[in-house]
Amino acid sequence: QVQLVESGGGSVKAGGSLRLSCAASGYTASIYYMAWFRRAPGKEREGVANTYRSGGATDYADSVKGRFTISQDNAKNTLYLQMNSLKPDDTAMYYCAAMTSPWYPGSWASELLYNYWGQGTQVTVSS
């Protein structure tokens, strides 16, 4: 079992920055990939960024490329999402997710691939 706890959300004005954290505990050695997803009001949950836990390879949604950076500190079992140049469209509940399969078909952004989820942290960006 893996437990994920997000933190770092809050309210900022457009153009501002936030850094989200996700602390993983439990059987973290079983994790191959970690990701950030978000769900905006009235919309489906979407993938924001993904990283390979052992190699650092990353993927991003087109909507956040160049503005968001996913990173990790494996010694601390913590995943981060640095969010810069925030826009009102980034307003959403942000979730951390972990995948325990070493391989996946198709897109990393399919939430069905992820076994474990955090409870989420709210990010609100005002204009």
Side-chain angles (χ1 to χ4, degrees):
Q1 291 289 329
V2 172
Q3 294 78 43
L4 303 173
V5 179
E6 303 95 335
S7 62
S11 297
V12 295
K13 289 192 177 295
S17 298
L18 282 174
R19 188 176 81 156
L20 306 183
S21 299
C22 171
S25 61
Y27 189 36
T28 57
S30 65
I31 300 172
Y32 282 88
Y33 295 90
M34 295 194 75
W36 288 98
F37 282 75
R38 67 185 181 186
R39 178 180 284 149
K43 295 185 178 180
E44 294 186 353
R45 189 156 52 184
E46 64 172 352
V48 175
N50 163 285
T51 186
Y52 181 55
R53 198 159 186 269
S54 298
T58 57
D59 282 297
Y60 294 91
D62 288 343
S63 59
V64 306
K65 281 181 182 176
R67 300 188 300 122
F68 290 11
T69 303
I70 188 171
S71 62
Q72 57 190 337
D73 183 336
N74 286 343
K76 296 181 179 180
N77 286 318
T78 301
L79 181 73
Y80 302 100
L81 185 68
Q82 178 66 43
M83 305 185 295
N84 298 328
S85 302
L86 282 161
K87 306 175 182 179
D89 284 350
D90 295 318
T91 295
M93 184 72 79
Y94 283 72
Y95 299 90
C96 173
M99 185 194 312
T100 57
S101 172
W103 174 86
Y104 58 88
S107 170
W108 62 268
S110 171
E111 59 183 291
L112 298 176
L113 298 173
Y114 297 85
N115 314 77
Y116 299 100
W117 294 83
Q119 293 300 305
T121 186
Q122 177 68 37
V123 172
T124 302
V125 185
S126 59
S127 56

